[in-house]
Amino acid sequence: MLSISRTNTFKAASAGLRSYSATSALRSGVRVPQLATFKLPEIKNEPTMDYAPGSAEREQLMATLEEMSNKTYDVPLVINGREVRTGDVKEQLNPGKKSHVVCRYENAGPKEVEEAIEGTLAAKSKWESLPLYDRQAIFLRAADLIGQKYRYKLMAASMLGQGKNIWQAEIDAATESADFLRFNVKYSSEIYAQQPPCNAPGVWNRSEYRALEGFVYAVSPFNFTAIGVNLAAAPALMGNTVLWKPSAGAVLSNYIAFDVMREAGVPDGVIQFVPGNAAEMTKQVFDHPEFTSLHFTGSTFVFKNMWKQIAQNLDIYKSYPRIVGETGGKNYHLIHPTANLESAVNNTIRGAFEFQGQKCSACSRLYVPKSLWPQFREKLVAGVESIKQGPVTDPTNFMGPVINQAAFDKITNYIEYARNSSDSEIIAGGKYSDNEGFYIRPTVVATTNPDFKLLKEEIFGPVVTAYVYDDAKLDETIELIGKTTPYGLTGAIFAEDRQAAVDLSARLLHTAGNFYINDKCTGAVVGQQPFGGSRASGTNDKPGSPSLLQRFISPRSIKENMIPISGFTYPSNK
């Protein structure tokens, strides 16, 4: 078993960085004066690489993948900069090869959780007093480290541990992680620049943006390494301290990202890396009076339960907690009779089956007009059946495994339900095996029932259900899309007729927080399409925009009067 402890991997690289003057001042508690108004470097999206056969990036990534696929890593808790071992060791398996243990990691108990909480509170004062530009510098450095020095290691960990192919790892672990860090820096400067537009004679009005009082609890999912990075880093950038509980299905990639942020200069205690039992840790966190915010991505069921727990504890908290969450979706593609057929089919295949449908934005319901269905079905089935699936170590595989046994069992139960229902048929896929890894073939179900179970419930796997509507009943179909599920995350329409696109966009207004016209319902890019939905899909605070950062600050308005008053009465009193 190979340790990737901080002392072995990152100590030398971080030693020089941590000696810089601002961090020294932070440790001493001295407030650093602002001697200039700085201009940020130009913020752009991290360029994506193609990983074409024979390319240098593909060779480097595959070499890293091969090296990491033959190892089992040891991941500790990291609390106040110390590696902590509890003896309660869990395993993260390679979902495509169950015999391969990607890492063994320590699980926190109540003692460690309490220590982590107290550590965040102890680190808070010095961290929030550090000037914004120094906090920004740390996260800009982290973005560069992810985009360069640790790109392939973070991608390989995401591939092996979470079942991503090269492209899915590239647009997640490499580019989106870096994009979140860089664009948050840009947005934080924009927020700080928001100042009162008016001042009365002899008065100077100002606004300050304080960190929240207490600590932030970040709970991240398995499916996006970048989400874990953002859940922890976004509140920290704004001066908060964070207890980060990673998903059991993404411990290795999240730990590497965490240690990259530490190498970039995040001080000890500002972000605590604490895997643990979700229910027990969450209860302990929510029972603490200094809990100030939940930053969550995960299931709707879990998020609702968390909200209820927080509500029950309102009387013990110092402040009303900020609840920020992105949860599930039952996302749709609506095909208009004027759609470009080939584009609509290919976008549906990508939207439904990239990363095995394990995106909260994945297309899982499909509405096709009767006039296009015969051709659409033929092309869709042919495309789906041609999908190559297998281990992530083979770059030619478009799909890999689902994350674990529980997901495998849940998804295959839906497939069997469709197989045994009188009002549905499986027209592509429907096969699966968990002999070596958790592999489920991309599956297309066709139903004649607009209220069919698979059109209503989130599956979170490679299954899309198609309903064929009568061309003359487009209006009824639009209504159906809005009322079939409680979710409102993503949706897409395909129409070449511009007026049709305008009408559909208006009438589907509240069905999706991210709405796409002639494009798949997945693939939001930081700085381009801020992501999130409402209804049962979350609080729609739009990660990848200034809106999210606003949730982790508490503004203070300052009025300074320059002219003493000589009395207390007003002219109207005379």
Side-chain angles (χ1 to χ4, degrees), residues 262-274:
R262 292 190 70 213
E263 180 175 330
V266 174
D268 297 339
V270 170
I271 300 176
Q272 312 276 40
F273 186 79
V274 190

Side-chain angles (χ1 to χ4, degrees), residues 34 36-43 131-137 139-140 180-195 207-209 234 237-239 545-547 549-550 553:
Q34 178 174 332
T37 300
F38 298 127
K39 181 179 180 181
L40 291 174
E42 185 179 6
I43 301 299
L132 174 64
Y133 53 79
D134 278 307
R135 297 198 303 268
Q136 290 174 328
F139 290 107
L140 287 176
F180 272 133
L181 295 172
R182 292 192 181 111
F183 277 90
N184 283 345
V185 165
K186 170 182 167 65
Y187 299 142
S188 65
S189 284
E190 292 174 359
I191 290 170
Y192 271 50
Q194 294 175 14
Q195 295 297 315
S207 292
E208 290 183 331
Y209 299 96
L237 172 65
M238 304 310 291
S545 78
S547 301
L549 300 185
Q550 295 275 8
I553 52 177

Side-chain angles (χ1 to χ4, degrees), residues 402 406-415 440 459-463:
V402 298
F408 180 89
D409 292 343
K410 174 186 175 182
I411 298 163
T412 55
N413 281 340
Y414 277 105
I415 292 173
I440 301 174
I459 301 172
F460 215 68
V463 180

Side-chain angles (χ1 to χ4, degrees), residues 346-560:
N346 288 326
N347 273 291
T348 298
I349 292 173
R350 282 184 171 181
F353 302 123
E354 285 183 331
F355 189 39
Q356 300 74 258
Q358 296 175 119
K359 300 182 181 183
C360 49
S361 58
C363 175
S364 59
R365 51 189 178 131
L366 173 65
Y367 297 87
V368 185
K370 187 178 293 185
S371 61
L372 294 183
W373 177 241
Q375 292 174 281
F376 193 99
R377 171 175 173 158
E378 181 182 0
K379 291 180 179 293
L380 179 65
V381 170
V384 169
E385 295 293 6
S386 73
I387 289 175
K388 193 169 184 293
Q389 184 177 24
V392 298
T393 49
D394 180 353
T396 65
N397 286 324
F398 184 80
M399 286 178 59
V402 298
I403 190 64
N404 56 28
Q405 189 71 58
F408 180 89
D409 292 343
K410 174 186 175 182
I411 298 163
T412 55
N413 281 340
Y414 277 105
I415 292 173
E416 291 307 313
Y417 178 89
R419 197 188 310 276
N420 296 318
S421 295
S422 60
D423 50 2
S424 69
E425 64 170 323
I426 296 173
I427 62 174
K431 299 177 182 178
Y432 48 84
S433 172
D434 61 353
N435 290 334
E436 182 176 357
F438 305 111
Y439 291 100
I440 301 174
R441 285 295 298 167
T443 299
V444 181
V445 175
T447 182
T448 56
N449 178 5
D451 290 316
F452 189 57
K453 179 178 180 178
L454 273 69
L455 285 171
K456 301 174 75 171
E457 298 179 11
E458 184 180 37
I459 301 172
F460 215 68
V463 180
V464 64
T465 302
Y467 174 73
V468 180
Y469 69 89
D470 198 321
D471 291 49
K473 294 184 177 181
L474 177 60
D475 290 344
E476 291 91 330
T477 304
I478 294 170
E479 295 297 320
L480 189 65
I481 289 172
K483 70 181 184 181
T484 300
T485 81
Y487 299 104
L489 190 53
T490 74
I493 59 170
F494 293 85
E496 292 296 291
D497 182 281
R498 185 64 195 177
Q499 189 59 53
V502 170
D503 293 343
L504 292 173
S505 178
R507 296 185 62 187
L508 293 166
L509 182 64
H510 292 291
T511 63
N514 278 60
F515 185 76
Y516 299 83
I517 300 172
N518 295 322
D519 203 350
K520 60 185 173 65
C521 61
T522 63
V525 178
V526 176
Q528 299 185 39
Q529 303 96 25
F531 186 78
S534 55
R535 296 185 175 176
S537 292
T539 56
N540 200 19
D541 290 298
K542 294 298 186 192
S545 78
S547 301
L548 179 77
L549 300 185
Q550 295 275 8
R551 298 305 308 277
F552 301 108
I553 52 177
S554 179
R556 181 170 78 153
S557 296
I558 299 171
K559 175 186 177 181
E560 182 175 357

